[in-house]
C-alpha cells in the first residue's frame, strides 16, 4: 500500500515537466537553428562573391585592367579587396579566358570525383578590345556543421565550392 501511494504521488507530480519537455525538443531545435545559420552564411557569401566578380569583371570589360597592365596577382588582389569582409583570400581561385565567339564558351566542372578543386587549366587572359571573355571565381567555403545532411558539402574536407561566373564582350576602348 505504501508503494502504491508513492507511485500515485509520482504520477501526479508535475515538477520538472518543463525541463523534460525542453530536453526532448532542444536537440532538433538547435539542429535547425544551426542549419538556418549555415544556409544563410553560404547564401550571403555567394552574394558577396557574385558582386565582387561582376565589379572586377567590369574593369576587364572597360579596358582598365589591360591599360593598367594588371597581371593575375593584381586581379586576385582586386577580387580579394571586394570579398575580404567574409572570405580568406587564400581559398580563392579564378579563371579568366578569351573565346572566339559566344557559341564556343565552354564551362567544365573543376571539382574532381574525389572532391578536390582542379586548377591545372585555370589561366588569366583578359583579352583585347572586342574579345569575348569569361571570368570565373571559385571560393572553398568551410562549413560549420560537419556533414550537414550531406547536401551542403560538395567538396572534400566539409567544404562548399561557391562559384560565380560572367561572360561578356570587351568594350571597344582602343
Amino acid at each position: 500500500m505504501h508503494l502504491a501511494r508513492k507511485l500515485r504521488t509520482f504520477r501526479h507530480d508535475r515538477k520538472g515537466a518543463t525541463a523534460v519537455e525542453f530536453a526532448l525538443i532542444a536537440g532538433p531545435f538547435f539542429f535547425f537553428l544551426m542549419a538556418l545559420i549555415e544556409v544563410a552564411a553560404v547564401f550571403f557569401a555567394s552574394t558577396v562573391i557574385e558582386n565582387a566578380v561582376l565589379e572586377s569583371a567590369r574593369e576587364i570589360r572597360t579596358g582598365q585592367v589591360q591599360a593598367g597592365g594588371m597581371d593575375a596577382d593584381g586581379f586576385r588582389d582586386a577580387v580579394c579587396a571586394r570579398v575580404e569582409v567574409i572570405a580568406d583570400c587564400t581559398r580563392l581561385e579564378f579563371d579568366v579566358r578569351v573565346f572566339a565567339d559566344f557559341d564556343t564558351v565552354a564551362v567544365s566542372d573543376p571539382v574532381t570525383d574525389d572532391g578536390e578543386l582542379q586548377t591545372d587549366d585555370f589561366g588569366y587572359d583578359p583579352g583585347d578590345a572586342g574579345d569575348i571573355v569569361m571570368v570565373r571565381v571559385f571560393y572553398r567555403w568551410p562549413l560549420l556543421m560537419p556533414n550537414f545532411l550531406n547536401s551542403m558539402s560538395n567538396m572534400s574536407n566539409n567544404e562548399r565550392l561557391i562559384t560565380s561566373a560572367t561572360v561578356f564582350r570587351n568594350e571597344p576602348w582602343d
Side-chain angles (χ1 to χ4, degrees):
M1 185 145 176
H2 182 65
L3 180 62
R5 189 168 27 117
K6 283 193 173 195
L7 286 175
R8 202 172 24 242
T9 303
F10 179 73
R11 193 176 77 203
H12 294 296
D13 191 6
R14 298 290 180 217
K15 293 178 187 168
T18 304
V20 171
E21 290 170 357
F22 180 75
L24 291 173
I25 65 164
F29 172 75
F30 286 116
F31 173 79
F32 286 123
L33 182 65
M34 287 302 296
L36 178 67
I37 292 169
E38 184 84 81
V39 170
V42 169
F43 279 113
F44 179 71
S46 296
T47 303
V48 170
I49 292 169
E50 181 75 26
N51 184 54
V53 168
L54 292 175
E55 291 294 320
S56 299
R58 186 177 186 284
E59 293 178 9
I60 292 174
R61 185 180 320 121
T62 59
Q64 295 171 356
V65 165
Q66 295 85 336
M70 184 183 291
D71 61 355
D73 290 332
F75 185 74
R76 174 185 294 280
D77 293 342
V79 174
C80 284
R82 291 179 171 99
V83 298
E84 67 185 355
V85 173
I86 55 119
D88 173 14
C89 288
T90 61
R91 305 175 72 82
L92 185 77
E93 299 291 339
F94 63 90
D95 183 25
V96 179
R97 299 179 188 208
V98 173
F99 291 92
D101 57 34
F102 285 104
D103 292 335
T104 61
V105 174
V107 179
S108 62
D109 186 9
V111 178
T112 62
D113 290 337
D114 59 348
E116 296 296 323
L117 182 63
Q118 183 177 351
T119 60
D120 297 339
D121 61 342
F122 286 2
Y124 177 74
D125 182 5
D128 295 320
D131 284 348
I132 296 171
V133 180
M134 177 181 67
V135 177
R136 296 189 302 170
V137 173
F138 304 95
Y139 186 78
R140 296 181 324 270
W141 181 267
L143 296 173
L144 300 172
M145 293 180 61
N147 298 324
F148 168 58
L149 299 177
N150 291 330
S151 63
M152 290 292 290
S153 175
N154 61 359
M155 295 184 69
S156 61
N157 299 326
N158 199 38
E159 294 176 332
R160 172 93 184 156
L161 185 65
I162 297 174
T163 305
S164 179
T166 184
V167 180
F168 52 88
R169 182 181 300 275
N170 283 342
E171 293 178 2
W173 63 79
D174 291 343

